[in-house]
Amino acid sequence: MTTTQRIHTSFGEESTAAEVIEGIDLSGKHAVVTGAASGLGAETARALAGAGASVTLAVRNTDAGERTATDIRKTTGNDAVHVGRLDLADQASIAAFTNAWTGPLHILVNNAGVMALPTLERTPDGWELQFASNHLGHFALALGLHDALAAAGNARIVSLSSRGHHASPVEFDDINFNNRAYDPWLAYGQSKTANVLFAVEASNRWATDGITANAVHPGVIMSTNLSRYMDPDQAAQLRAAEAAGEFGSIQGAPFRFKTIAQGSATSVLVATSPQMEGIGGRYFEDNNEAEKLSAEAVGSAPGGVAPYALDPDAAKRLWELSLAATGA
């Protein structure tokens, strides 16, 4: 499929991972899902395994990963569910994971992430931790697995972004908050913008290798570990709104809450749907391609993708910066 029209599916914001993958056979295919010990990653892995794929849970805590893998094997009847150690803030850990991989890789879901760290934290190399974990770690992982993805033919990468990317473009002049005041949401926002820009440039560079990459916004799910660093008062207000069946609001933008099954659906659809064949460099939410916003609408719109997140020049600049940052 080479259309430039926006992709529309028969699914919507309430669709679940099980619904979007129904009828799809992934037998003989191999998938890696990062951060799959719990939450969206675990549900994504469960859906892929349920469709017959061999799935590796790439996790920092392998004990938790093994418990989840055991549960997925039991609920799906698929014994080909494996666990690999991966710390996305540690380039040596990433290299160990990619060096150990053998054979083709058909699906890579870059699901793991951290959000709204309350204080500025940096890696030993000086990179702000959200940018390092959410973007640089996944960048190095995809680069290290490139040959396996290329060997699969028509491989897909799913890059989990967020509506939070509205908070900030990638501030190339001060990514690490060396010369500006640290703000948890600005840091998170630029890392999520980076996730979209990665998908844009990966598709541009790797299309001839049969590899496509797209970014997704899963929605807001308060029952995952992603919210663990959130301001406690804000998190309590959101959970109260969720329990009351009301809309939530972060940074002034309203949204509906989703369950884990609903939140993982867009990742699963983009990773497996026949409609996504040959489609790359795009941003999806609620199981459909998102509207590209005007610059004025960014920050106030409840959904959509910011134009700076799809900017090919910024995507190319980020790629070159990431190559230097990871020593690739």
Side-chain angles (χ1 to χ4, degrees):
M1 184 181 292
T2 58
T3 178
T4 57
Q5 295 180 332
R6 281 172 60 194
I7 302 297
H8 293 278
T9 76
S10 59
F11 302 104
E13 65 179 345
E14 296 184 359
S15 300
T16 66
E19 290 169 348
V20 303
I21 203 171
E22 185 176 0
I24 293 175
D25 183 6
L26 298 179
S27 300
K29 296 188 181 295
H30 299 267
V32 168
V33 183
T34 69
S38 64
L40 297 180
E43 192 69 15
T44 299
R46 189 185 314 277
L48 298 176
S54 171
V55 184
T56 297
L57 316 184
V59 298
R60 187 169 51 182
N61 184 336
T62 53
D63 289 340
E66 289 290 354
R67 289 192 292 271
T68 299
T70 298
D71 181 64
I72 293 174
R73 294 185 200 110
K74 184 183 301 182
T75 57
T76 64
N78 183 348
D79 289 333
V81 181
H82 315 286
V83 177
R85 188 180 184 281
L86 177 69
D87 182 347
L88 289 162
D90 181 352
Q91 291 294 319
S93 174
I94 297 167
F97 183 91
T98 58
N99 290 337
W101 186 268
T102 58
L105 176 61
H106 302 83
I107 298 169
L108 172 61
V109 183
N110 290 333
N111 167 86
V114 292
M115 180 178 74
L117 294 174
T119 57
L120 175 58
E121 296 184 46
R122 296 192 178 99
T123 67
D125 293 329
W127 293 97
E128 189 277 318
L129 190 57
Q130 292 184 79
F131 184 83
S133 297
N134 296 347
H135 168 63
L136 289 177
H138 281 125
F139 174 85
L141 177 67
L143 218 65
L145 292 172
H146 169 270
D147 290 351
L149 291 161
N154 299 319
R156 299 184 189 182
I157 302 173
V158 181
S159 180
L160 262 73
S161 180
S162 168
R163 190 263 172 208
H165 83 273
H166 287 208
S168 177
V170 174
E171 296 289 356
F172 288 101
D173 293 335
D174 193 9
I175 288 173
N176 298 309
F177 293 87
N178 293 319
N179 302 307
R180 57 181 170 139
Y182 175 74
D183 180 285
W185 290 107
L186 291 182
Y188 179 67
Q190 77 166 352
S191 76
K192 294 292 102 179
T193 293
N195 292 149
V196 189
L197 292 173
F198 164 79
V200 171
E201 187 64 8
S203 291
N204 180 53
R205 289 180 181 242
W206 293 348
T208 55
D209 298 319
I211 302 168
T212 55
N214 290 285
V216 303
H217 168 44
V220 178
I221 304 95
M222 292 303 296
S223 54
T224 72
N225 287 334
L226 188 64
S227 62
R228 65 189 181 276
Y229 296 114
M230 219 184 229
D231 176 79
D233 291 337
Q234 183 181 35
Q237 290 174 0
L238 290 172
R239 291 193 177 94
E242 181 181 32
E246 300 171 350
F247 280 82
S249 177
I250 296 178
Q251 302 275 288
F255 56 83
R256 292 182 184 274
F257 294 96
K258 289 189 177 186
T259 65
I260 289 176
Q262 292 168 340
S264 56
T266 305
S267 293
V268 172
L269 179 137
V270 171
T272 65
S273 171
Q275 278 187 264
M276 296 301 302
E277 190 68 36
I279 297 298
R282 306 194 191 186
Y283 175 95
F284 291 78
E285 60 190 6
D286 297 333
N287 295 298
N288 287 279
E289 186 176 352
E291 174 190 3
K292 184 176 179 180
L293 301 172
S294 66
E296 294 73 26
V298 175
S300 59
V305 58
Y308 53 69
L310 298 175
D311 179 5
D313 292 332
K316 185 176 297 185
R317 183 178 181 183
L318 178 65
W319 192 279
E320 295 299 331
L321 178 150
S322 302
L323 286 173
T326 58

